[in-house]
Amino acid sequence: MRIAIDSEPRLLSILRGVVRFCAREAGFSSSEAECLAMAIDEAAANIIRHTYAGRPDALLALEVTHFADRLEFILEDWGPKVCEELIHPRSLEDVRPGGLGTFFISSFMDECTYDRDFKDGNRLKLVKYLSRKGSPCNEGSSSQSG
Amino acid sequence: MKVQVRNLDKVSILDCSGDVDLYSSPRLRESLLAEIRPGGPSVLVSMSGVAYIDSSGIATLVEGLQLSRQTQTRFGLFGLRPNARSVLELARLHKVFAIFENETEAVENIGSTSSGI
């Protein structure tokens, strides 16, 4: 499945809906699907806020592919190249607004890599395996999607 | 997302409903910053209608918490759904906020005085 949207924050709910649907179709639990929706939402929000600097008329695309053992999410944008070295989760000891998006992405996904061969912008690949245990999504939460 | 403010005796309750995300969190921020002020009432955020909250929503709540400390305003959350609670726990913020199960408990604990948290 592939979907492209304008870089408008109000459209992020569409991406979340797509991810929830694909995750449930692939066999993830509802709480896992909610975590995956949040991870993709955070990644897309980062594109809107940082790569596109809040511009609402740029484009971002999400492609979801279901393999036997995993779901792969490809997020593409056509903005300036991201400096990967500057992206890392911050310490949770530091209680302050902001900076948690990357933490949630890395917590909920098993792999997170940028495609260096994508020349026209940024292509972020996020992978979630079906069978891996120990995910924070499986620790007693139930789903309440919105 | 909708935010409705109820003013009770010595406590303001912000009833949030819907998704709190990059699009909607500025509305919550605006309401929080208007209610949390020196000499103002205690402030509680009802999260029972919040189906989804992302990092921008959490950042807004943290900003409200920080402002409440600066202004000596008592501040708390109640009615968190499991997803929102899990996200706060994962970010280790569940012990930073005053979190209550329901409005009655929250008002009893937070709404009784106007300063101290």
Side-chain angles (χ1 to χ4, degrees), chain B residues 60-102:
Chain B
T60 299
L61 294 177
V62 171
E63 193 176 356
L65 176 70
Q66 291 181 334
L67 182 61
S68 74
R69 288 173 172 169
Q70 291 166 15
T71 59
Q72 296 285 297
T73 302
R74 292 168 71 91
F75 177 69
L77 317 174
F78 68 87
L80 274 77
R81 293 188 183 188
N83 280 349
R85 185 178 288 274
S86 296
V87 165
L88 285 179
E89 288 175 356
L90 186 62
R92 297 187 207 161
L93 290 169
H94 59 300
K95 291 180 179 171
V96 175
F97 288 104
I99 298 176
F100 304 95
E101 284 301 312
N102 53 51

mmCIF file of all heavy atoms in Angstrom, chain B residues 60-102:
data_model
loop_
_atom_site.group_PDB
_atom_site.id
_atom_site.type_symbol
_atom_site.label_atom_id
_atom_site.label_comp_id
_atom_site.label_asym_id
_atom_site.label_seq_id
_atom_site.Cartn_x
_atom_site.Cartn_y
_atom_site.Cartn_z
ATOM 1 N N THR B 60 3.392 19.301 25.380
ATOM 2 C CA THR B 60 2.476 20.342 25.849
ATOM 3 C C THR B 60 2.152 20.147 27.328
ATOM 4 O O THR B 60 2.125 21.107 28.100
ATOM 5 C CB THR B 60 1.184 20.316 25.012
ATOM 6 O OG1 THR B 60 1.524 20.566 23.644
ATOM 7 C CG2 THR B 60 0.196 21.360 25.485
ATOM 8 N N LEU B 61 1.908 18.900 27.715
ATOM 9 C CA LEU B 61 1.625 18.628 29.132
ATOM 10 C C LEU B 61 2.845 18.930 30.004
ATOM 11 O O LEU B 61 2.712 19.463 31.112
ATOM 12 C CB LEU B 61 1.197 17.168 29.309
ATOM 13 C CG LEU B 61 -0.130 16.768 28.652
ATOM 14 C CD1 LEU B 61 -0.387 15.273 28.844
ATOM 15 C CD2 LEU B 61 -1.292 17.581 29.214
ATOM 16 N N VAL B 62 4.038 18.589 29.506
ATOM 17 C CA VAL B 62 5.259 18.887 30.267
ATOM 18 C C VAL B 62 5.444 20.399 30.409
ATOM 19 O O VAL B 62 5.828 20.903 31.470
ATOM 20 C CB VAL B 62 6.497 18.245 29.599
ATOM 21 C CG1 VAL B 62 7.783 18.734 30.254
ATOM 22 C CG2 VAL B 62 6.420 16.727 29.668
ATOM 23 N N GLU B 63 5.127 21.108 29.347
ATOM 24 C CA GLU B 63 5.227 22.569 29.406
ATOM 25 C C GLU B 63 4.244 23.124 30.455
ATOM 26 O O GLU B 63 4.583 24.032 31.219
ATOM 27 C CB GLU B 63 4.930 23.162 28.027
ATOM 28 C CG GLU B 63 5.309 24.629 27.915
ATOM 29 C CD GLU B 63 5.091 25.182 26.512
ATOM 30 O OE1 GLU B 63 4.723 24.410 25.604
ATOM 31 O OE2 GLU B 63 5.279 26.396 26.331
ATOM 32 N N GLY B 64 3.049 22.549 30.472
ATOM 33 C CA GLY B 64 2.075 22.955 31.483
ATOM 34 C C GLY B 64 2.575 22.661 32.891
ATOM 35 O O GLY B 64 2.419 23.485 33.806
ATOM 36 N N LEU B 65 3.196 21.503 33.049
ATOM 37 C CA LEU B 65 3.746 21.139 34.368
ATOM 38 C C LEU B 65 4.815 22.132 34.804
ATOM 39 O O LEU B 65 4.829 22.590 35.956
ATOM 40 C CB LEU B 65 4.332 19.727 34.289
ATOM 41 C CG LEU B 65 5.024 19.214 35.545
ATOM 42 C CD1 LEU B 65 4.008 18.950 36.649
ATOM 43 C CD2 LEU B 65 5.819 17.943 35.244
ATOM 44 N N GLN B 66 5.700 22.473 33.869
ATOM 45 C CA GLN B 66 6.772 23.411 34.211
ATOM 46 C C GLN B 66 6.212 24.780 34.572
ATOM 47 O O GLN B 66 6.669 25.416 35.528
ATOM 48 C CB GLN B 66 7.754 23.512 33.038
ATOM 49 C CG GLN B 66 8.559 22.229 32.837
ATOM 50 C CD GLN B 66 9.546 22.321 31.697
ATOM 51 O OE1 GLN B 66 9.351 23.095 30.763
ATOM 52 N NE2 GLN B 66 10.601 21.526 31.756
ATOM 53 N N LEU B 67 5.213 25.209 33.810
ATOM 54 C CA LEU B 67 4.601 26.510 34.096
ATOM 55 C C LEU B 67 3.893 26.470 35.454
ATOM 56 O O LEU B 67 3.919 27.449 36.207
ATOM 57 C CB LEU B 67 3.621 26.888 32.986
ATOM 58 C CG LEU B 67 2.953 28.255 33.131
ATOM 59 C CD1 LEU B 67 3.999 29.371 33.134
ATOM 60 C CD2 LEU B 67 1.952 28.483 31.992
ATOM 61 N N SER B 68 3.277 25.335 35.757
ATOM 62 C CA SER B 68 2.579 25.225 37.046
ATOM 63 C C SER B 68 3.567 25.335 38.202
ATOM 64 O O SER B 68 3.249 25.908 39.251
ATOM 65 C CB SER B 68 1.808 23.900 37.122
ATOM 66 O OG SER B 68 2.681 22.807 37.316
ATOM 67 N N ARG B 69 4.769 24.808 38.015
ATOM 68 C CA ARG B 69 5.779 24.914 39.075
ATOM 69 C C ARG B 69 6.251 26.364 39.218
ATOM 70 O O ARG B 69 6.459 26.847 40.327
ATOM 71 C CB ARG B 69 6.951 23.986 38.761
ATOM 72 C CG ARG B 69 6.578 22.526 38.956
ATOM 73 C CD ARG B 69 7.672 21.594 38.500
ATOM 74 N NE ARG B 69 7.375 20.209 38.854
ATOM 75 C CZ ARG B 69 8.051 19.170 38.393
ATOM 76 N NH1 ARG B 69 9.054 19.345 37.561
ATOM 77 N NH2 ARG B 69 7.730 17.947 38.766
ATOM 78 N N GLN B 70 6.397 27.012 38.080
ATOM 79 C CA GLN B 70 6.847 28.415 38.133
ATOM 80 C C GLN B 70 5.804 29.305 38.794
ATOM 81 O O GLN B 70 6.146 30.273 39.469
ATOM 82 C CB GLN B 70 7.106 28.924 36.709
ATOM 83 C CG GLN B 70 8.310 28.298 36.025
ATOM 84 C CD GLN B 70 8.323 28.579 34.531
ATOM 85 O OE1 GLN B 70 7.618 29.449 34.038
ATOM 86 N NE2 GLN B 70 9.142 27.835 33.801
ATOM 87 N N THR B 71 4.536 28.990 38.585
ATOM 88 C CA THR B 71 3.467 29.866 39.083
ATOM 89 C C THR B 71 2.849 29.368 40.388
ATOM 90 O O THR B 71 1.864 29.940 40.853
ATOM 91 C CB THR B 71 2.344 29.981 38.028
ATOM 92 O OG1 THR B 71 1.839 28.667 37.758
ATOM 93 C CG2 THR B 71 2.846 30.613 36.745
ATOM 94 N N GLN B 72 3.440 28.274 40.928
ATOM 95 C CA GLN B 72 2.904 27.706 42.181
ATOM 96 C C GLN B 72 1.437 27.302 42.018
ATOM 97 O O GLN B 72 0.610 27.517 42.909
ATOM 98 C CB GLN B 72 3.039 28.712 43.330
ATOM 99 C CG GLN B 72 4.467 29.055 43.675
ATOM 100 C CD GLN B 72 5.168 27.940 44.427
ATOM 101 O OE1 GLN B 72 4.790 27.586 45.526
ATOM 102 N NE2 GLN B 72 6.183 27.358 43.816
ATOM 103 N N THR B 73 1.135 26.722 40.874
ATOM 104 C CA THR B 73 -0.224 26.256 40.602
ATOM 105 C C THR B 73 -0.252 24.737 40.706
ATOM 106 O O THR B 73 0.621 24.060 40.157
ATOM 107 C CB THR B 73 -0.658 26.659 39.166
ATOM 108 O OG1 THR B 73 -0.567 28.078 39.038
ATOM 109 C CG2 THR B 73 -2.070 26.201 38.871
ATOM 110 N N ARG B 74 -1.243 24.219 41.385
ATOM 111 C CA ARG B 74 -1.366 22.758 41.448
ATOM 112 C C ARG B 74 -1.900 22.248 40.116
ATOM 113 O O ARG B 74 -2.838 22.831 39.557
ATOM 114 C CB ARG B 74 -2.274 22.353 42.607
ATOM 115 C CG ARG B 74 -1.631 22.656 43.972
ATOM 116 C CD ARG B 74 -2.614 22.525 45.111
ATOM 117 N NE ARG B 74 -2.976 21.135 45.373
ATOM 118 C CZ ARG B 74 -2.338 20.340 46.238
ATOM 119 N NH1 ARG B 74 -1.302 20.805 46.904
ATOM 120 N NH2 ARG B 74 -2.733 19.109 46.451
ATOM 121 N N PHE B 75 -1.304 21.161 39.622
ATOM 122 C CA PHE B 75 -1.590 20.704 38.261
ATOM 123 C C PHE B 75 -1.627 19.181 38.231
ATOM 124 O O PHE B 75 -0.768 18.523 38.829
ATOM 125 C CB PHE B 75 -0.486 21.221 37.326
ATOM 126 C CG PHE B 75 -0.610 20.778 35.889
ATOM 127 C CD1 PHE B 75 -1.639 21.253 35.087
ATOM 128 C CD2 PHE B 75 0.312 19.893 35.332
ATOM 129 C CE1 PHE B 75 -1.748 20.857 33.745
ATOM 130 C CE2 PHE B 75 0.211 19.491 34.004
ATOM 131 C CZ PHE B 75 -0.814 19.976 33.223
ATOM 132 N N GLY B 76 -2.600 18.629 37.562
ATOM 133 C CA GLY B 76 -2.670 17.174 37.486
ATOM 134 C C GLY B 76 -3.479 16.686 36.298
ATOM 135 O O GLY B 76 -4.136 17.471 35.596
ATOM 136 N N LEU B 77 -3.396 15.380 36.086
ATOM 137 C CA LEU B 77 -4.114 14.721 34.995
ATOM 138 C C LEU B 77 -5.016 13.647 35.593
ATOM 139 O O LEU B 77 -4.681 13.058 36.629
ATOM 140 C CB LEU B 77 -3.132 14.037 34.020
ATOM 141 C CG LEU B 77 -1.875 14.791 33.605
ATOM 142 C CD1 LEU B 77 -0.976 13.870 32.763
ATOM 143 C CD2 LEU B 77 -2.237 16.037 32.812
ATOM 144 N N PHE B 78 -6.122 13.367 34.925
ATOM 145 C CA PHE B 78 -6.925 12.216 35.368
ATOM 146 C C PHE B 78 -7.631 11.578 34.172
ATOM 147 O O PHE B 78 -7.752 12.177 33.098
ATOM 148 C CB PHE B 78 -7.938 12.616 36.446
ATOM 149 C CG PHE B 78 -9.058 13.515 35.991
ATOM 150 C CD1 PHE B 78 -10.229 12.989 35.440
ATOM 151 C CD2 PHE B 78 -8.962 14.888 36.115
ATOM 152 C CE1 PHE B 78 -11.268 13.806 35.034
ATOM 153 C CE2 PHE B 78 -9.992 15.719 35.705
ATOM 154 C CZ PHE B 78 -11.152 15.178 35.167
ATOM 155 N N GLY B 79 -8.072 10.337 34.406
ATOM 156 C CA GLY B 79 -8.847 9.629 33.386
ATOM 157 C C GLY B 79 -8.048 9.166 32.191
ATOM 158 O O GLY B 79 -8.606 9.043 31.096
ATOM 159 N N LEU B 80 -6.764 8.874 32.385
ATOM 160 C CA LEU B 80 -5.942 8.452 31.241
ATOM 161 C C LEU B 80 -6.387 7.085 30.723
ATOM 162 O O LEU B 80 -6.572 6.144 31.500
ATOM 163 C CB LEU B 80 -4.472 8.366 31.640
ATOM 164 C CG LEU B 80 -3.662 9.655 31.543
ATOM 165 C CD1 LEU B 80 -3.963 10.559 32.710
ATOM 166 C CD2 LEU B 80 -2.172 9.337 31.489
ATOM 167 N N ARG B 81 -6.522 6.984 29.443
ATOM 168 C CA ARG B 81 -6.783 5.685 28.823
ATOM 169 C C ARG B 81 -5.485 4.879 28.817
ATOM 170 O O ARG B 81 -4.388 5.447 28.938
ATOM 171 C CB ARG B 81 -7.284 5.883 27.394
ATOM 172 C CG ARG B 81 -8.650 6.535 27.307
ATOM 173 C CD ARG B 81 -9.138 6.501 25.877
ATOM 174 N NE ARG B 81 -10.410 7.184 25.721
ATOM 175 C CZ ARG B 81 -11.122 7.153 24.601
ATOM 176 N NH1 ARG B 81 -10.681 6.486 23.548
ATOM 177 N NH2 ARG B 81 -12.268 7.796 24.517
ATOM 178 N N PRO B 82 -5.599 3.564 28.647
ATOM 179 C CA PRO B 82 -4.395 2.719 28.705
ATOM 180 C C PRO B 82 -3.286 3.150 27.751
ATOM 181 O O PRO B 82 -2.106 3.123 28.121
ATOM 182 C CB PRO B 82 -4.935 1.335 28.344
ATOM 183 C CG PRO B 82 -6.347 1.356 28.807
ATOM 184 C CD PRO B 82 -6.834 2.756 28.554
ATOM 185 N N ASN B 83 -3.635 3.553 26.543
ATOM 186 C CA ASN B 83 -2.593 3.950 25.586
ATOM 187 C C ASN B 83 -1.816 5.161 26.080
ATOM 188 O O ASN B 83 -0.583 5.194 26.023
ATOM 189 C CB ASN B 83 -3.217 4.280 24.224
ATOM 190 C CG ASN B 83 -3.520 3.023 23.442
ATOM 191 O OD1 ASN B 83 -3.091 1.938 23.820
ATOM 192 N ND2 ASN B 83 -4.266 3.179 22.371
ATOM 193 N N ALA B 84 -2.548 6.168 26.528
ATOM 194 C CA ALA B 84 -1.888 7.388 26.990
ATOM 195 C C ALA B 84 -1.041 7.097 28.225
ATOM 196 O O ALA B 84 0.079 7.593 28.360
ATOM 197 C CB ALA B 84 -2.929 8.459 27.297
ATOM 198 N N ARG B 85 -1.571 6.261 29.111
ATOM 199 C CA ARG B 85 -0.815 5.899 30.311
ATOM 200 C C ARG B 85 0.464 5.152 29.937
ATOM 201 O O ARG B 85 1.536 5.412 30.472
ATOM 202 C CB ARG B 85 -1.672 5.042 31.244
ATOM 203 C CG ARG B 85 -1.023 4.724 32.566
ATOM 204 C CD ARG B 85 -1.972 3.912 33.450
ATOM 205 N NE ARG B 85 -3.066 4.705 33.962
ATOM 206 C CZ ARG B 85 -2.998 5.429 35.085
ATOM 207 N NH1 ARG B 85 -1.880 5.442 35.784
ATOM 208 N NH2 ARG B 85 -4.030 6.128 35.505
ATOM 209 N N SER B 86 0.358 4.230 28.975
ATOM 210 C CA SER B 86 1.534 3.468 28.544
ATOM 211 C C SER B 86 2.609 4.377 27.966
ATOM 212 O O SER B 86 3.803 4.189 28.212
ATOM 213 C CB SER B 86 1.132 2.437 27.484
ATOM 214 O OG SER B 86 0.253 1.495 28.018
ATOM 215 N N VAL B 87 2.169 5.346 27.185
ATOM 216 C CA VAL B 87 3.129 6.260 26.565
ATOM 217 C C VAL B 87 3.846 7.093 27.632
ATOM 218 O O VAL B 87 5.069 7.270 27.578
ATOM 219 C CB VAL B 87 2.390 7.169 25.549
ATOM 220 C CG1 VAL B 87 3.240 8.353 25.148
ATOM 221 C CG2 VAL B 87 2.002 6.362 24.316
ATOM 222 N N LEU B 88 3.095 7.559 28.622
ATOM 223 C CA LEU B 88 3.722 8.328 29.706
ATOM 224 C C LEU B 88 4.680 7.455 30.511
ATOM 225 O O LEU B 88 5.747 7.895 30.926
ATOM 226 C CB LEU B 88 2.653 8.920 30.630
ATOM 227 C CG LEU B 88 1.876 10.117 30.090
ATOM 228 C CD1 LEU B 88 0.829 10.573 31.112
ATOM 229 C CD2 LEU B 88 2.793 11.291 29.759
ATOM 230 N N GLU B 89 4.274 6.202 30.719
ATOM 231 C CA GLU B 89 5.147 5.289 31.467
ATOM 232 C C GLU B 89 6.430 5.010 30.698
ATOM 233 O O GLU B 89 7.519 4.987 31.267
ATOM 234 C CB GLU B 89 4.407 3.990 31.775
ATOM 235 C CG GLU B 89 3.337 4.144 32.844
ATOM 236 C CD GLU B 89 2.511 2.890 33.071
ATOM 237 O OE1 GLU B 89 2.720 1.903 32.332
ATOM 238 O OE2 GLU B 89 1.652 2.914 33.968
ATOM 239 N N LEU B 90 6.290 4.801 29.392
ATOM 240 C CA LEU B 90 7.468 4.514 28.568
ATOM 241 C C LEU B 90 8.449 5.683 28.617
ATOM 242 O O LEU B 90 9.667 5.487 28.648
ATOM 243 C CB LEU B 90 7.022 4.244 27.128
ATOM 244 C CG LEU B 90 8.091 3.796 26.143
ATOM 245 C CD1 LEU B 90 8.697 2.463 26.572
ATOM 246 C CD2 LEU B 90 7.513 3.676 24.743
ATOM 247 N N ALA B 91 7.905 6.885 28.626
ATOM 248 C CA ALA B 91 8.750 8.085 28.675
ATOM 249 C C ALA B 91 9.150 8.441 30.112
ATOM 250 O O ALA B 91 9.793 9.464 30.339
ATOM 251 C CB ALA B 91 8.017 9.261 28.039
ATOM 252 N N ARG B 92 8.755 7.570 31.043
ATOM 253 C CA ARG B 92 9.074 7.744 32.473
ATOM 254 C C ARG B 92 8.530 9.062 33.027
ATOM 255 O O ARG B 92 9.146 9.695 33.878
ATOM 256 C CB ARG B 92 10.579 7.661 32.710
ATOM 257 C CG ARG B 92 11.163 6.306 32.348
ATOM 258 C CD ARG B 92 12.604 6.239 32.759
ATOM 259 N NE ARG B 92 13.357 5.315 31.921
ATOM 260 C CZ ARG B 92 14.688 5.326 31.803
ATOM 261 N NH1 ARG B 92 15.393 6.206 32.486
ATOM 262 N NH2 ARG B 92 15.305 4.473 31.032
ATOM 263 N N LEU B 93 7.382 9.454 32.519
ATOM 264 C CA LEU B 93 6.783 10.697 32.988
ATOM 265 C C LEU B 93 5.615 10.449 33.946
ATOM 266 O O LEU B 93 5.055 11.395 34.491
ATOM 267 C CB LEU B 93 6.287 11.524 31.787
ATOM 268 C CG LEU B 93 7.392 12.126 30.923
ATOM 269 C CD1 LEU B 93 6.803 12.690 29.635
ATOM 270 C CD2 LEU B 93 8.140 13.215 31.675
ATOM 271 N N HIS B 94 5.263 9.181 34.142
ATOM 272 C CA HIS B 94 4.105 8.882 34.979
ATOM 273 C C HIS B 94 4.338 9.244 36.438
ATOM 274 O O HIS B 94 3.390 9.430 37.190
ATOM 275 C CB HIS B 94 3.711 7.406 34.842
ATOM 276 C CG HIS B 94 4.797 6.441 35.211
ATOM 277 N ND1 HIS B 94 6.014 6.406 34.577
ATOM 278 C CD2 HIS B 94 4.849 5.469 36.151
ATOM 279 C CE1 HIS B 94 6.765 5.455 35.108
ATOM 280 N NE2 HIS B 94 6.085 4.871 36.064
ATOM 281 N N LYS B 95 5.619 9.329 36.820
ATOM 282 C CA LYS B 95 5.905 9.719 38.207
ATOM 283 C C LYS B 95 6.211 11.207 38.331
ATOM 284 O O LYS B 95 6.411 11.716 39.427
ATOM 285 C CB LYS B 95 7.077 8.885 38.739
ATOM 286 C CG LYS B 95 6.706 7.425 38.917
ATOM 287 C CD LYS B 95 7.849 6.602 39.450
ATOM 288 C CE LYS B 95 7.415 5.159 39.619
ATOM 289 N NZ LYS B 95 8.552 4.271 39.947
ATOM 290 N N VAL B 96 6.266 11.859 37.211
ATOM 291 C CA VAL B 96 6.532 13.296 37.212
ATOM 292 C C VAL B 96 5.224 14.071 37.353
ATOM 293 O O VAL B 96 5.140 15.065 38.071
ATOM 294 C CB VAL B 96 7.271 13.704 35.913
ATOM 295 C CG1 VAL B 96 7.447 15.211 35.848
ATOM 296 C CG2 VAL B 96 8.619 13.000 35.821
ATOM 297 N N PHE B 97 4.197 13.563 36.672
ATOM 298 C CA PHE B 97 2.880 14.191 36.759
ATOM 299 C C PHE B 97 2.099 13.649 37.966
ATOM 300 O O PHE B 97 2.290 12.504 38.373
ATOM 301 C CB PHE B 97 2.056 13.877 35.498
ATOM 302 C CG PHE B 97 2.516 14.588 34.265
ATOM 303 C CD1 PHE B 97 3.236 13.918 33.297
ATOM 304 C CD2 PHE B 97 2.219 15.938 34.058
ATOM 305 C CE1 PHE B 97 3.660 14.569 32.143
ATOM 306 C CE2 PHE B 97 2.632 16.586 32.920
ATOM 307 C CZ PHE B 97 3.361 15.907 31.952
ATOM 308 N N ALA B 98 1.219 14.481 38.483
ATOM 309 C CA ALA B 98 0.227 13.993 39.452
ATOM 310 C C ALA B 98 -0.913 13.407 38.615
ATOM 311 O O ALA B 98 -1.605 14.136 37.901
ATOM 312 C CB ALA B 98 -0.271 15.141 40.320
ATOM 313 N N ILE B 99 -1.058 12.080 38.684
ATOM 314 C CA ILE B 99 -2.052 11.392 37.859
ATOM 315 C C ILE B 99 -3.086 10.724 38.756
ATOM 316 O O ILE B 99 -2.723 10.006 39.703
ATOM 317 C CB ILE B 99 -1.378 10.342 36.948
ATOM 318 C CG1 ILE B 99 -0.402 11.029 35.981
ATOM 319 C CG2 ILE B 99 -2.419 9.542 36.163
ATOM 320 C CD1 ILE B 99 0.382 10.067 35.095
ATOM 321 N N PHE B 100 -4.352 10.937 38.448
ATOM 322 C CA PHE B 100 -5.443 10.372 39.243
ATOM 323 C C PHE B 100 -6.378 9.566 38.354
ATOM 324 O O PHE B 100 -6.456 9.784 37.150
ATOM 325 C CB PHE B 100 -6.202 11.497 39.952
ATOM 326 C CG PHE B 100 -5.307 12.355 40.804
ATOM 327 C CD1 PHE B 100 -4.777 13.539 40.300
ATOM 328 C CD2 PHE B 100 -4.951 11.958 42.079
ATOM 329 C CE1 PHE B 100 -3.918 14.321 41.068
ATOM 330 C CE2 PHE B 100 -4.093 12.730 42.862
ATOM 331 C CZ PHE B 100 -3.578 13.915 42.352
ATOM 332 N N GLU B 101 -7.060 8.639 39.009
ATOM 333 C CA GLU B 101 -7.936 7.749 38.253
ATOM 334 C C GLU B 101 -9.134 8.490 37.659
ATOM 335 O O GLU B 101 -9.518 8.261 36.524
ATOM 336 C CB GLU B 101 -8.436 6.609 39.144
ATOM 337 C CG GLU B 101 -7.413 5.527 39.405
ATOM 338 C CD GLU B 101 -6.909 4.867 38.126
ATOM 339 O OE1 GLU B 101 -7.750 4.502 37.282
ATOM 340 O OE2 GLU B 101 -5.685 4.726 37.973
ATOM 341 N N ASN B 102 -9.730 9.338 38.491
ATOM 342 C CA ASN B 102 -10.960 9.987 38.036
ATOM 343 C C ASN B 102 -11.057 11.411 38.586
ATOM 344 O O ASN B 102 -10.208 11.850 39.378
ATOM 345 C CB ASN B 102 -12.186 9.167 38.460
ATOM 346 C CG ASN B 102 -12.163 8.869 39.951
ATOM 347 O OD1 ASN B 102 -11.983 9.780 40.751
ATOM 348 N ND2 ASN B 102 -12.308 7.600 40.313
#
